[in-house]
Amino acid sequence: MALKGKEFRKLLEPMTAELVCMARWARTTGARIVVLFEGRDTAGKGGAISAVRDKLNPRQCRTVALPKPNEDEQTQWYFQRYISHLPKAGEIVLFDRSWYNRAGVEKVMGYATEEQVDLHLQQVPVFEKLLTDDGILLFKYWLTTDQEQQEERLRERLEDPLKRWKLSPVDLAAREKYDAYTDARAKMLKATHYEHAPWTLVDFNDQKRGRLTLIRDLLDRLPDTYVKPAKIDFPKLDRKPAYESYAVLDPIKNYPLD
């Protein structure tokens, strides 16, 4: 049975408090945290990222969702454009798709050659070992989704004008390549699952349960992150509160910009 919204929010609330503690710990200790969110189209990456960062300071916790590489980036080392988005001390970076694009969508859709994909899978373990050896805390999540669920969510995007922007030609083409994506994922996991940067697969057929499972796993794999909040003095005002003047606007009416 799918998890209802009210129950989901009740279960998420204490985890959100832990995420806030995690962010305070990262700021205090200078920890650098990178979380990769990978999965098929419609798996629920965006919703999972939103659940993680909802109450965190956006100046500390950033989402990186890169567009397709431009002409200059196509001539660079494949990992180059991702490096500039890695966190500095105290930051948390959430990748909505990552350098694993080459092993997934680029391979399946023919945007990369077999030679490029094979080289990439050889380089990924080395690249990620450099990151973790330097102290970056790296977490890699694959959000699993059955084809029936994928079809239902694609249809929802088609029928909902507020979600239509999420439906791209690549999404539609992927419908016919479900098995090819499965094969590509198997090859990717075999080549890039290792002790210093393991993959964690999370069932996202029920997206709410999936978000809770992912966040719980992330929190449990971090060290003790409790840092006592700094005490803030909040003295009483020594005068009456001031009031700000404003005009009452009609939300239906069009107003001039000047």
Side-chain angles (χ1 to χ4, degrees), residues 12-258:
L12 179 63
E13 186 175 359
M15 294 189 205
T16 301
E18 290 186 65
L19 288 169
V20 171
C21 287
M22 174 197 72
R24 183 164 58 243
W25 168 81
R27 180 71 75 191
T28 301
T29 63
R32 293 168 292 163
I33 300 172
V34 172
V35 188
L36 310 187
F37 294 79
E38 294 287 347
R40 301 176 190 271
D41 298 315
T42 77
K45 296 179 290 295
I49 290 170
S50 294
V52 170
R53 66 171 296 177
D54 181 40
K55 301 300 181 184
L56 304 186
N57 185 343
R59 295 182 179 85
Q60 180 189 13
C61 180
R62 296 185 283 110
T63 299
V64 176
L66 299 184
K68 66 180 183 180
N70 59 35
E71 289 185 6
D72 288 338
E73 289 170 334
Q74 290 175 21
T75 68
Q76 297 173 349
W77 179 44
Y78 189 78
F79 299 92
Q80 189 168 337
R81 70 186 191 129
Y82 294 98
I83 291 173
S84 63
H85 296 281
L86 293 173
K88 64 177 183 288
E91 281 192 334
I92 303 156
V93 176
L94 312 176
F95 279 91
D96 185 348
R97 296 196 185 276
S98 66
W99 45 87
Y100 283 98
N101 266 351
R102 171 138 292 180
V105 64
E106 291 187 23
K107 171 183 171 62
V108 174
M109 302 304 296
Y111 302 149
T113 66
E114 286 295 328
E115 292 76 13
Q116 288 175 319
V117 174
D118 289 343
L119 177 61
H120 178 259
L121 291 177
Q122 293 173 31
Q123 292 180 338
V124 166
V126 180
F127 175 68
E128 292 182 349
K129 188 69 163 59
L130 290 172
L131 300 184
T132 56
D133 281 353
D134 199 58
I136 287 178
L137 300 174
L138 176 63
F139 302 93
K140 306 189 305 190
Y141 290 100
W142 182 277
L143 285 51
T144 69
T145 313
D146 295 338
Q147 190 169 22
E148 183 179 358
Q149 281 293 329
Q150 185 183 49
E151 283 290 294
E152 183 178 329
R153 293 169 190 173
L154 287 171
R155 192 178 302 110
E156 182 183 357
R157 290 180 179 183
L158 177 65
E159 296 172 355
D160 186 345
L162 299 181
K163 295 183 178 181
R164 183 74 63 83
W165 65 271
K166 295 183 177 183
L167 192 62
S168 72
V170 175
D171 296 337
L172 296 175
R175 296 176 63 217
E176 305 300 327
K177 296 181 179 291
Y178 189 91
D179 291 340
Y181 272 102
T182 299
D183 292 342
R185 187 191 74 164
K187 184 177 182 180
M188 179 197 73
L189 293 177
K190 184 177 181 180
T192 61
H193 177 67
Y194 30 82
E195 186 175 355
H196 63 274
W199 278 101
T200 302
L201 277 60
V202 184
D203 183 353
F204 260 71
N205 285 304
D206 181 339
Q207 291 183 331
K208 294 185 178 66
R209 290 185 190 277
R211 293 170 199 165
L212 296 173
T213 301
L214 188 154
I215 293 171
R216 183 71 270 157
D217 180 82
L218 173 63
L219 291 168
D220 288 347
R221 289 166 61 194
L222 288 165
D224 181 7
T225 60
Y226 179 75
V227 175
K228 188 176 181 179
K231 185 178 180 180
I232 299 175
D233 292 327
F234 196 70
K236 185 177 180 180
L237 287 173
D238 58 2
R239 57 176 176 77
K240 288 185 177 181
Y243 295 92
E244 186 173 26
S245 61
Y246 62 94
V248 178
L249 303 179
D250 182 344
I252 305 301
K253 185 178 178 182
N254 290 323
Y255 291 93
L257 296 177
D258 55 5

